[in-house]
Amino acid sequence: KRSRVFLFCGSAAFLIVCSCLCVSAEVSTPAGVTLLPPVQPENGPQSYPNAKKSNLPVFTINYSRIQIPFEITLWMLLASFAKVGFHVYHKITIWVPESCLLISIGLIVGGIMYSVHEEPPAVLSNSVFFLYILPPMVLESGYFMPTRPFFENIGTVFWFAVVGTLWNSIGIGISLFGICQIEAFGVQDINLQENLLFASIISAVDPVAVLTVFEDVSVNEQLYIVVFGECLFNDAVTVVLYNMFSFVAEMPVVEPVDVFLGMARFLVVGLGGMGFGILFGFVASFTTRFTSKVREIEPLFIFMYSYLAYLVAELFAISSIMAIVCCALTMKYYVEENVSQRSCTTIRHVVKMLSSISETVIFFFLGVVTITTEHEWNWGYLLFTLLFAFIWRSLGVLVLIPIINPFRTIPLNLKDQFGLAYGGLRGAISFALAFTLPESIVRKHLFVTATIAVILFTVFLQGISIRPLIELINVRRTNRKEDLINVEIHRRMMEHTMTGIEDICGQWSHFYWKDKFMKFNNRFLRRILIRDSRPESGIVALYKKLELQNAMEILDSVSGDISSAPAIVSLQYETWIKLPLN
Amino acid sequence: KRSRVFLFCGSAAFLIVCSCLCVSAEVSTPAGVTLLPPVQPENGPQSYPNAKKSNLPVFTINYSRIQIPFEITLWMLLASFAKVGFHVYHKITIWVPESCLLISIGLIVGGIMYSVHEEPPAVLSNSVFFLYILPPMVLESGYFMPTRPFFENIGTVFWFAVVGTLWNSIGIGISLFGICQIEAFGVQDINLQENLLFASIISAVDPVAVLTVFEDVSVNEQLYIVVFGECLFNDAVTVVLYNMFSFVAEMPVVEPVDVFLGMARFLVVGLGGMGFGILFGFVASFTTRFTSKVREIEPLFIFMYSYLAYLVAELFAISSIMAIVCCALTMKYYVEENVSQRSCTTIRHVVKMLSSISETVIFFFLGVVTITTEHEWNWGYLLFTLLFAFIWRSLGVLVLIPIINPFRTIPLNLKDQFGLAYGGLRGAISFALAFTLPESIVRKHLFVTATIAVILFTVFLQGISIRPLIELINVRRTNRKEDLINVEIHRRMMEHTMTGIEDICGQWSHFYWKDKFMKFNNRFLRRILIRDSRPESGIVALYKKLELQNAMEILDSVSGDISSAPAIVSLQYETWIKLPLN
């Protein structure tokens, strides 16, 4: 029965591909399918082509008018179909990451398109990627980042994101420059700046595949959050490095002052992004104070503000990724207390949905473009790129972890380090950056080819093998249980105790700062940003949260079948009896 | 305290306007702000302007790159702010419809833009309205249409939508043509075709304002659904008429064969749209059978399929409004059984959200454009347009209702007829159609001015006075109670009984057809389209639905304050005890 279902979906997807290709092949303009439209003549709604005959037409077709939204929708539908297809046949997705499957389907579609000489849509040019595809993905990561573990590991995360990425970029860049000096490879014309630029491209690590595996085998929280945070913030570092190197690559002479300017710019970009993000986050929270009468557009504010934060950061060429992540982190708690439960569900679901479809589309297009783009093949350069990417990643982990470990409460052990080093898959960001390389770089095609090679190599080889390896070496697992009110009470008590002890010792760690922040939060921020500003007992809030979570889960499960879940009341009743708080 | 809050929002909105204007005034291209971008040079992400100096820039600005999404977001934010503002000061919205307020704010913003010689964004040209703003509004109407009352009144709805709109268009058109013959007005150059075209534009009735009032004073279900349905489907008729007349207006001679072709086209357009809609609705339902593993993108399928239905209908120049409404009607029940509860909430909320923001934006722009567009003022033509629009609407109701009344179970009485006639506000569709008039029509500016006049007149005068009038003449109210399982059981029993009696009498009304459809539905459609296809007792389904509704409402209310809603369990417990079904 399963396979029949699979066939169904496959054929549906195939039909869509075909129809999509046919339509665009027959009707599209010679320039191929472009997402940004050429300036079209002003047409009325459903205007008729200027037909010669004067009789009223009973049936007309006007494709160019709906081309853009139609093709965007079709491509999205196709990618979604692929995704549904894999999950219908569930066994695949356990062993092969979704990204691999999407790339494979993309390769097939790319092959079809190549054989009918069809150009793929220009998703990656014209900053479509950075303005429309990337923001939802980063917003999701920021919005669903587990806040407590993140702030407990913030040092390690930034150490890795900033220093690790610099280490990788500079290490790979210089090593590749060394390789370029060997005449046998025939790439002597690539100078140091271009090598560094290329290295910065392939230093961006992509979380999706690895994080899914980590979540499935439930590795320990520390490792998880370090990979998560590194992936998120190293994108920001990479983009900055990329911009800097791409500017440097076109400069005739690099003066010493430029190095200092570069470092200044680094700070401006990072801190500026953070500042804008926090500002917009507060404004968003403040706005939702007043939306209790217009529940239906509440979620829109969240999307609009975070997108604005992103765009404004792009405008000033500061780190837009930082901006949107900080915006999401800042507003999340205040907004979720202000908006209705329904809006909250919608916000979460839509953020997940948009990010999921963006991810799907980008991996899918990675496959398509791999086939349809022009390649420049150079065995030596490609192989050494793969080698250096792997070596510098591993070296980086081995060197950087022992430096940060003394400062950590729970040090990362060797197995964690392996997970960290092996989890360095490359993905969408590298791909997009390579494609948006300026044309002035002579070896652009080589860089694109090498980037795709690194992505495919890491995603397929490491992506598929990481699950067995993690299970084999038996990385420290977490016994992640459900939230219990008892655990929470004890944790909070411990935190207060720690704060007190630290205060007496005069040694201030994050407990102290958390306590200070919570006081500031309760005294000022909550009063300004939250509608119902009376201070609420933390335990009641947690109870409320758990109860809501519980109810939502029950609702979810009931939806399918009522007879298997008759206990909706009894379950809640039990909770009630166990926790007679009111 | 209220007024302080109002000030806050007002100032926020004002700041946004100003910043928006400043930015676009200073940085935008001379051609003004266009939503569809000119073909831009290929830029890398955050590419620097080709500066002369060779040092690394620490701070750069690149506005043109983010202009389009940035300005769209700002305008949406501005409109949302206006909406939030009204509702913060709640008393206004009871007496003045939101559309009036939005138009007023739009007028103010338009005035500011006019004074700084700023062009408004081209939302209404280039089919932006028909491809991006209209679909969400229609989808919402279709998705939330109360199905049972609609099908019970389907005859009256279509009678009004089709014949009523034809009546209005032709009546107003011919009367205005008569006026044009009077030399004193100086509009002899407008021929019959152009008058008919203009009349078709101002025959489209807009539901929003009226329906809000009807809902608030809870008029009887019959009147409500007739206005609702008429508004929805007469848009479709209007667009067809508009297309036909705009084609006819450019024809030198109208032959008799064209009249028949027009009627043929009418059928093709209407039935074709319906067919496409139902087809896409079934495909959407079928697709959601397989999405249980990819819950996060479930809602996307709904939006993509309904949008595709709309676009495909636009492609073939058939009624896209019909298509999307039928798609929504068809898929709604199957989809909501297939998807998770959370997805269902998201779908409903997002549909409402998108439609709400589209509506807000369009009324807001109506205000802006009223000021910034070129007008041609002709007192005679304007006044007679207003007069005829009112007269023919009233005449239509007075003539058409007595014809349909004998076929109705509950006839519409005189007060209902008043509500129907007076509820004929004009809105967004008329506005958009007038703006997309082909330039070949000499008196385009006059038509635009007249359309805006009719819209403003009806929205302000009728929109504000309809609530007091409805309350004054005491239109039949409904005692709309909450759904009760008891009521439902009795209604279903009555329906079965009626079907049996009708079968014996040999007189088949909608009960018979409903019964037939339900049998077909249970035997075939549900098995194909729904994952859990075992036939479910209708009563259990209803119970499930009510329970879910209940739980959702409780969740919603708890979100604000737990101490005021401690009864979450006891409430559910009561339901449980009252209805011991399992």
Side-chain angles (χ1 to χ4, degrees), chain A residues 45-76:
Chain A
Q46 303 174 357
S47 68
Y48 307 109
N50 290 324
K52 292 291 175 291
K53 57 164 193 168
S54 69
N55 270 347
L56 200 68
V58 176
F59 187 79
T60 53
I61 284 191
N62 181 356
Y63 183 66
S64 66
R65 190 166 158 267
I66 63 152
Q67 188 179 1
I68 304 147
F70 187 66
E71 284 175 8
I72 293 175
T73 317
L74 271 191
W75 279 109
M76 275 168 61

Short mmCIF file of all heavy atoms in Angstrom, two decimals, chain A residues 45-76:
data_model
loop_
_atom_site.label_atom_id
_atom_site.label_comp_id
_atom_site.label_asym_id
_atom_site.label_seq_id
_atom_site.Cartn_x
_atom_site.Cartn_y
_atom_site.Cartn_z
N PRO A 45 -7.03 44.22 -16.53
CA PRO A 45 -7.22 42.86 -16.08
C PRO A 45 -7.71 42.02 -17.24
O PRO A 45 -8.62 42.42 -17.97
CB PRO A 45 -8.29 43.00 -15.01
CG PRO A 45 -8.97 44.26 -15.31
CD PRO A 45 -7.98 45.14 -16.00
N GLN A 46 -7.10 40.85 -17.38
CA GLN A 46 -7.51 39.93 -18.44
C GLN A 46 -7.65 40.61 -19.80
O GLN A 46 -8.59 40.38 -20.54
CB GLN A 46 -8.84 39.26 -18.08
CG GLN A 46 -8.76 38.52 -16.75
CD GLN A 46 -10.09 38.00 -16.32
OE1 GLN A 46 -11.09 38.24 -16.98
NE2 GLN A 46 -10.12 37.26 -15.23
N SER A 47 -6.71 41.49 -20.07
CA SER A 47 -6.82 42.21 -21.33
C SER A 47 -6.56 41.25 -22.48
O SER A 47 -5.78 40.31 -22.36
CB SER A 47 -5.81 43.33 -21.37
OG SER A 47 -4.51 42.79 -21.44
N TYR A 48 -7.20 41.44 -23.55
CA TYR A 48 -7.04 40.56 -24.69
C TYR A 48 -5.85 40.99 -25.50
O TYR A 48 -5.53 42.17 -25.56
CB TYR A 48 -8.30 40.61 -25.56
CG TYR A 48 -9.53 40.36 -24.78
CD1 TYR A 48 -10.42 41.38 -24.52
CD2 TYR A 48 -9.78 39.08 -24.26
CE1 TYR A 48 -11.55 41.14 -23.77
CE2 TYR A 48 -10.89 38.85 -23.51
CZ TYR A 48 -11.78 39.88 -23.27
OH TYR A 48 -12.89 39.65 -22.52
N PRO A 49 -5.19 40.05 -26.12
CA PRO A 49 -4.16 40.45 -27.08
C PRO A 49 -4.83 41.22 -28.21
O PRO A 49 -6.01 41.01 -28.50
CB PRO A 49 -3.62 39.10 -27.57
CG PRO A 49 -4.67 38.10 -27.23
CD PRO A 49 -5.39 38.62 -26.05
N ASN A 50 -4.08 42.11 -28.79
CA ASN A 50 -4.70 42.94 -29.83
C ASN A 50 -5.00 42.09 -31.05
O ASN A 50 -4.25 42.07 -32.03
CB ASN A 50 -3.76 44.09 -30.20
CG ASN A 50 -3.68 45.07 -29.05
OD1 ASN A 50 -4.67 45.30 -28.36
ND2 ASN A 50 -2.51 45.64 -28.84
N ALA A 51 -6.08 41.37 -30.96
CA ALA A 51 -6.43 40.45 -32.03
C ALA A 51 -6.85 41.23 -33.26
O ALA A 51 -7.34 42.34 -33.17
CB ALA A 51 -7.55 39.53 -31.58
N LYS A 52 -6.66 40.59 -34.39
CA LYS A 52 -7.03 41.24 -35.64
C LYS A 52 -8.54 41.18 -35.86
O LYS A 52 -9.16 42.14 -36.26
CB LYS A 52 -6.30 40.58 -36.82
CG LYS A 52 -4.80 40.81 -36.82
CD LYS A 52 -4.47 42.27 -37.11
CE LYS A 52 -2.96 42.51 -36.99
NZ LYS A 52 -2.48 42.39 -35.59
N LYS A 53 -9.11 40.01 -35.59
CA LYS A 53 -10.55 39.85 -35.82
C LYS A 53 -11.32 40.71 -34.83
O LYS A 53 -10.88 40.94 -33.70
CB LYS A 53 -10.95 38.39 -35.67
CG LYS A 53 -10.57 37.82 -34.30
CD LYS A 53 -11.28 36.52 -34.01
CE LYS A 53 -11.11 36.17 -32.53
NZ LYS A 53 -11.96 35.13 -32.09
N SER A 54 -12.48 41.16 -35.25
CA SER A 54 -13.20 42.11 -34.42
C SER A 54 -14.29 41.44 -33.60
O SER A 54 -14.94 42.09 -32.81
CB SER A 54 -13.81 43.20 -35.31
OG SER A 54 -14.85 42.63 -36.07
N ASN A 55 -14.50 40.13 -33.80
CA ASN A 55 -15.54 39.48 -33.00
C ASN A 55 -15.08 39.30 -31.56
O ASN A 55 -13.90 39.22 -31.27
CB ASN A 55 -15.88 38.11 -33.59
CG ASN A 55 -16.99 38.22 -34.61
OD1 ASN A 55 -17.65 39.26 -34.68
ND2 ASN A 55 -17.19 37.19 -35.39
N LEU A 56 -16.08 39.22 -30.67
CA LEU A 56 -15.78 39.03 -29.26
C LEU A 56 -15.16 37.65 -29.07
O LEU A 56 -15.73 36.66 -29.50
CB LEU A 56 -17.09 39.13 -28.48
CG LEU A 56 -16.99 39.42 -27.00
CD1 LEU A 56 -16.49 40.82 -26.76
CD2 LEU A 56 -18.34 39.24 -26.37
N PRO A 57 -14.00 37.54 -28.42
CA PRO A 57 -13.42 36.22 -28.24
C PRO A 57 -14.12 35.48 -27.11
O PRO A 57 -14.45 36.07 -26.08
CB PRO A 57 -11.97 36.51 -27.88
CG PRO A 57 -12.01 37.85 -27.25
CD PRO A 57 -13.19 38.59 -27.83
N VAL A 58 -14.38 34.19 -27.31
CA VAL A 58 -15.02 33.41 -26.26
C VAL A 58 -13.96 32.81 -25.34
O VAL A 58 -14.19 32.54 -24.19
CB VAL A 58 -15.90 32.30 -26.87
CG1 VAL A 58 -16.51 31.42 -25.80
CG2 VAL A 58 -17.01 32.94 -27.69
N PHE A 59 -12.76 32.66 -25.84
CA PHE A 59 -11.71 31.97 -25.08
C PHE A 59 -10.37 32.63 -25.38
O PHE A 59 -9.99 32.75 -26.53
CB PHE A 59 -11.70 30.50 -25.53
CG PHE A 59 -10.79 29.65 -24.72
CD1 PHE A 59 -11.17 29.19 -23.47
CD2 PHE A 59 -9.54 29.31 -25.21
CE1 PHE A 59 -10.32 28.41 -22.72
CE2 PHE A 59 -8.69 28.52 -24.46
CZ PHE A 59 -9.08 28.07 -23.22
N THR A 60 -9.70 33.12 -24.35
CA THR A 60 -8.41 33.78 -24.59
C THR A 60 -7.37 33.26 -23.61
O THR A 60 -7.70 32.75 -22.54
CB THR A 60 -8.50 35.29 -24.38
OG1 THR A 60 -9.05 35.52 -23.09
CG2 THR A 60 -9.32 35.96 -25.44
N ILE A 61 -6.11 33.42 -23.97
CA ILE A 61 -5.01 33.06 -23.07
C ILE A 61 -4.05 34.24 -23.00
O ILE A 61 -3.74 34.84 -24.01
CB ILE A 61 -4.27 31.81 -23.58
CG1 ILE A 61 -5.10 30.56 -23.30
CG2 ILE A 61 -2.90 31.69 -22.91
CD1 ILE A 61 -4.35 29.29 -23.52
N ASN A 62 -3.62 34.57 -21.77
CA ASN A 62 -2.64 35.63 -21.62
C ASN A 62 -1.65 35.17 -20.55
O ASN A 62 -1.85 35.39 -19.37
CB ASN A 62 -3.36 36.91 -21.20
CG ASN A 62 -2.40 38.05 -21.04
OD1 ASN A 62 -1.19 37.87 -21.16
ND2 ASN A 62 -2.92 39.22 -20.76
N TYR A 63 -0.59 34.52 -21.00
CA TYR A 63 0.30 33.89 -20.03
C TYR A 63 1.25 34.88 -19.36
O TYR A 63 1.49 34.79 -18.16
CB TYR A 63 1.11 32.77 -20.69
CG TYR A 63 1.99 32.04 -19.72
CD1 TYR A 63 1.42 31.27 -18.71
CD2 TYR A 63 3.37 32.14 -19.79
CE1 TYR A 63 2.20 30.61 -17.81
CE2 TYR A 63 4.16 31.48 -18.87
CZ TYR A 63 3.58 30.72 -17.88
OH TYR A 63 4.37 30.07 -16.98
N SER A 64 1.75 35.82 -20.13
CA SER A 64 2.82 36.67 -19.59
C SER A 64 2.35 37.43 -18.35
O SER A 64 3.15 37.77 -17.49
CB SER A 64 3.27 37.67 -20.65
OG SER A 64 2.21 38.55 -20.94
N ARG A 65 1.02 37.67 -18.29
CA ARG A 65 0.52 38.46 -17.18
C ARG A 65 0.67 37.71 -15.84
O ARG A 65 1.02 38.30 -14.83
CB ARG A 65 -0.96 38.75 -17.42
CG ARG A 65 -1.51 39.74 -16.47
CD ARG A 65 -2.83 40.26 -16.95
NE ARG A 65 -3.54 40.78 -15.82
CZ ARG A 65 -4.39 40.07 -15.10
NH1 ARG A 65 -4.66 38.84 -15.43
NH2 ARG A 65 -4.97 40.63 -14.06
N ILE A 66 0.41 36.40 -15.85
CA ILE A 66 0.44 35.67 -14.58
C ILE A 66 1.74 34.91 -14.41
O ILE A 66 1.91 34.18 -13.44
CB ILE A 66 -0.72 34.67 -14.48
CG1 ILE A 66 -0.61 33.62 -15.57
CG2 ILE A 66 -2.04 35.37 -14.54
CD1 ILE A 66 -1.25 32.32 -15.17
N GLN A 67 2.66 35.07 -15.38
CA GLN A 67 3.86 34.23 -15.38
C GLN A 67 4.59 34.18 -14.03
O GLN A 67 4.85 33.11 -13.50
CB GLN A 67 4.81 34.73 -16.45
CG GLN A 67 5.98 33.79 -16.65
CD GLN A 67 6.90 34.29 -17.73
OE1 GLN A 67 6.67 35.34 -18.31
NE2 GLN A 67 7.94 33.55 -18.00
N ILE A 68 4.88 35.36 -13.48
CA ILE A 68 5.75 35.38 -12.29
C ILE A 68 5.12 34.65 -11.11
O ILE A 68 5.69 33.69 -10.61
CB ILE A 68 6.11 36.82 -11.93
CG1 ILE A 68 6.77 37.49 -13.13
CG2 ILE A 68 7.04 36.87 -10.74
CD1 ILE A 68 6.46 38.95 -13.22
N PRO A 69 3.93 35.08 -10.64
CA PRO A 69 3.39 34.35 -9.49
C PRO A 69 3.10 32.90 -9.81
O PRO A 69 3.26 32.02 -8.96
CB PRO A 69 2.11 35.11 -9.15
CG PRO A 69 1.78 35.89 -10.36
CD PRO A 69 3.07 36.18 -11.05
N PHE A 70 2.69 32.63 -11.04
CA PHE A 70 2.34 31.27 -11.42
C PHE A 70 3.55 30.36 -11.31
O PHE A 70 3.48 29.27 -10.71
CB PHE A 70 1.82 31.28 -12.86
CG PHE A 70 1.28 29.97 -13.35
CD1 PHE A 70 0.14 29.44 -12.78
CD2 PHE A 70 1.89 29.29 -14.37
CE1 PHE A 70 -0.37 28.24 -13.22
CE2 PHE A 70 1.39 28.09 -14.83
CZ PHE A 70 0.26 27.56 -14.25
N GLU A 71 4.68 30.81 -11.84
CA GLU A 71 5.85 29.94 -11.82
C GLU A 71 6.45 29.81 -10.43
O GLU A 71 6.91 28.74 -10.05
CB GLU A 71 6.88 30.42 -12.84
CG GLU A 71 6.43 30.03 -14.24
CD GLU A 71 7.32 30.57 -15.33
OE1 GLU A 71 8.38 31.11 -15.01
OE2 GLU A 71 6.93 30.43 -16.50
N ILE A 72 6.39 30.89 -9.67
CA ILE A 72 6.87 30.78 -8.28
C ILE A 72 6.04 29.73 -7.56
O ILE A 72 6.56 28.83 -6.89
CB ILE A 72 6.77 32.13 -7.55
CG1 ILE A 72 7.74 33.13 -8.16
CG2 ILE A 72 7.08 31.96 -6.07
CD1 ILE A 72 7.61 34.51 -7.59
N THR A 73 4.71 29.81 -7.72
CA THR A 73 3.84 28.86 -7.04
C THR A 73 4.12 27.44 -7.50
O THR A 73 4.18 26.51 -6.70
CB THR A 73 2.36 29.22 -7.28
OG1 THR A 73 2.20 30.61 -7.14
CG2 THR A 73 1.46 28.51 -6.32
N LEU A 74 4.30 27.27 -8.82
CA LEU A 74 4.54 25.92 -9.33
C LEU A 74 5.84 25.33 -8.78
O LEU A 74 5.88 24.17 -8.37
CB LEU A 74 4.59 25.93 -10.85
CG LEU A 74 3.28 25.73 -11.58
CD1 LEU A 74 3.54 25.49 -13.05
CD2 LEU A 74 2.49 24.57 -11.01
N TRP A 75 6.89 26.14 -8.74
CA TRP A 75 8.16 25.63 -8.23
C TRP A 75 8.04 25.27 -6.76
O TRP A 75 8.55 24.25 -6.31
CB TRP A 75 9.29 26.65 -8.43
CG TRP A 75 9.86 26.64 -9.81
CD1 TRP A 75 9.71 27.59 -10.76
CD2 TRP A 75 10.69 25.63 -10.40
NE1 TRP A 75 10.39 27.24 -11.90
CE2 TRP A 75 11.00 26.04 -11.71
CE3 TRP A 75 11.19 24.41 -9.93
CZ2 TRP A 75 11.79 25.28 -12.56
CZ3 TRP A 75 11.98 23.65 -10.79
CH2 TRP A 75 12.27 24.09 -12.09
N MET A 76 7.34 26.11 -6.02
CA MET A 76 7.15 25.81 -4.60
C MET A 76 6.36 24.53 -4.42
O MET A 76 6.67 23.69 -3.58
CB MET A 76 6.43 26.97 -3.91
CG MET A 76 7.36 28.06 -3.45
SD MET A 76 6.48 29.54 -2.96
CE MET A 76 5.49 28.93 -1.62
#
